[in-house]
Amino acid sequence: MSLPDNAAGGLRIVYAGTPDFAVPALDALHDAGHQVVGVFTQPDRPAGRGRRLQPSPVKQAAQSLDIPVYQPQRLDAEAQADLKALAPDLMVVAAYGLILPRAVLILPRMGCINIHASLLPRWRGAAPIQRAIQAGDDETGITIMQMDEGLDTGPMLMRRPLPIAADETGGSLHDKLAALGGNCILDVVDGLAMGRIKAEPQPETGVCYARKLTKAEALIDWNAPAMNIERQVRAFNPWPVAQTQWGKRVLRIHSAHLHQGDRQAAPGRVIRAGKSGVVIACGEGALVLETVQLPGKRPISARDLANAGLKAGVMLGRDAETNTR
């Protein structure tokens, strides 16, 4: 990678990102005075009840900063021509949503760097934040890497750790890592401009992959240990939200905690439901529901759910029975 002659602040940067996670880094680069000469983001998508086209959070941020926006469906020859016309020194990528072909990777004279929400090589792939919580990791972080043609395999420019709190959710950890990514990218861009940062290969050990989240895996298997289900609830908040069957209804579980005490019952059985909360038996241990949501309703406390008809003895889950013991 060749370094430019100009100092920090003089780089011509193209930014590529789409969701909320990518906004703080864009704002940080702009606020620090870097020349963000163009933003690439995903095309507008239908969203909400009216299914109207909605711009991505990064597009909205770029427009508020008066930065030109490009929204190609693919990074084909036309998109590459647009990128080349911007004459970037560097391309900064954060959760863009498109794979960068080799022709794009080598187009900026300093290449492309990526803000990844894990301590690589752990949790390469699409959902590193949620998978770290699911796995019970006590630490994650941000890695800024030089991009290559592999899936998050490029050499690292910076790794900065972040503890995962016991009550961390996918949403809270997302926000912390997005802010951390904004801080890290400034240090890396300035370091590259000054020739102070050298990329290091990723370790060969500790590689694992964070597969993309799906709605299907939000369904709770009550045969699993309570600890695993509690992590699932936290990891999948705010999306896709852990859920279970209650008769013919889908009960979404926004928050829960482990039950202290030894209560034995068939997995999925409601052990207790009343003013003190709702306790569900799991394959190992039990879970105390905190905040839940019925279809078409606002989230409510588990106590209110008991008042709404969930009684001790009811079975929850895919093969639920609605009768009581």
Side-chain angles (χ1 to χ4, degrees), residues 293-317:
Q293 185 177 18
L294 289 168
K297 305 293 185 181
R298 295 177 180 274
I300 59 174
S301 70
R303 176 180 174 177
D304 289 340
L305 183 66
N307 293 332
L310 184 64
K311 305 300 182 186
V314 167
M315 283 291 289
L316 301 179

Side-chain angles (χ1 to χ4, degrees), residues 23-37:
V23 172
L26 172 61
D27 287 337
L29 289 168
H30 178 271
D31 293 346
H34 289 289
Q35 298 181 60
V36 184
V37 295

Side-chain angles (χ1 to χ4, degrees), residues 12-15 37-40 68 70 79-89 107:
R12 292 178 60 84
I13 297 173
V14 167
Y15 193 84
V37 295
V39 164
F40 280 63
Y70 302 81
Q80 292 170 29
D82 289 337
L83 178 60
K84 186 176 182 179
L86 294 171
D89 295 312
L107 197 153

Side-chain angles (χ1 to χ4, degrees), residues 25-309:
L26 172 61
D27 287 337
L29 289 168
H30 178 271
D31 293 346
H34 289 289
Q35 298 181 60
V36 184
V37 295
V39 164
F40 280 63
T41 189
Q42 289 278 300
D44 297 356
R45 306 292 191 200
R49 291 185 176 180
R51 306 303 293 167
R52 293 182 178 177
L53 289 177
Q54 296 290 332
S56 75
V58 165
K59 178 180 179 179
Q60 296 177 54
Q63 289 178 328
S64 71
L65 300 172
D66 292 326
I67 301 173
V69 174
Y70 302 81
Q71 296 180 275
Q73 292 281 357
R74 298 175 299 278
L75 292 173
D76 53 15
E78 182 178 355
Q80 292 170 29
D82 289 337
L83 178 60
K84 186 176 182 179
L86 294 171
D89 295 312
L90 181 69
M91 187 167 181
V92 177
V93 181
Y96 177 32
L98 288 180
I99 295 175
L100 272 57
R102 175 173 169 73
V104 170
L105 291 172
I106 64 174
L107 197 153
R109 63 189 183 111
M110 297 174 67
C112 302
I113 63 175
N114 178 255
I115 305 170
H116 187 77
S118 81
L119 296 177
L120 292 173
R122 186 164 177 79
W123 302 126
R124 292 172 176 168
I129 298 173
Q130 294 83 357
R131 299 305 179 197
I133 294 175
Q134 260 192 296
D137 292 1
D138 56 14
E139 183 184 69
T140 183
I142 287 289
T143 303
I144 309 293
M145 65 174 174
Q146 189 77 49
M147 297 180 71
D148 61 16
E149 294 181 76
L151 177 61
D152 300 328
T153 56
M156 303 176 298
L157 297 159
M158 174 180 286
R159 292 171 89 238
R160 191 164 290 178
L162 180 73
I164 298 178
D167 60 349
E168 204 82 78
T169 67
S172 64
L173 188 56
H174 166 280
D175 293 347
K176 291 178 182 178
L177 288 169
L180 183 60
N183 292 332
C184 291
I185 197 63
L186 290 181
D187 292 341
V188 169
V189 169
D190 289 349
L192 289 173
M194 302 298 291
R196 291 187 279 103
I197 290 183
K198 182 180 179 182
E200 297 181 0
Q202 294 187 27
E204 296 182 358
T205 58
V207 175
C208 64
Y209 290 90
R211 69 184 188 283
K212 187 177 180 179
L213 297 183
T214 66
K215 288 185 178 180
E217 64 181 312
L219 195 63
I220 291 174
D221 176 3
W222 293 105
N223 292 295
M227 178 181 294
N228 292 10
I229 299 173
E230 189 268 345
R231 291 172 181 168
Q232 178 185 7
V233 170
R234 288 191 289 114
F236 291 177
N237 180 351
W239 194 89
V241 182
Q243 54 191 250
T244 188
Q245 290 291 132
W246 176 19
K248 294 182 179 179
R249 291 182 286 185
V250 173
L251 181 64
R252 307 177 84 197
I253 301 173
H254 292 274
S255 63
H257 64 267
L258 296 177
H259 175 67
Q260 302 299 322
D262 186 18
R263 298 292 298 270
Q264 298 295 322
R269 182 76 68 184
V270 178
I271 299 172
R272 187 177 69 228
K275 294 182 179 178
S276 58
V278 174
V279 182
I280 314 296
C282 304
E284 295 177 14
L287 199 69
V288 182
L289 306 189
E290 295 174 356
T291 306
V292 297
Q293 185 177 18
L294 289 168
K297 305 293 185 181
R298 295 177 180 274
I300 59 174
S301 70
R303 176 180 174 177
D304 289 340
L305 183 66
N307 293 332

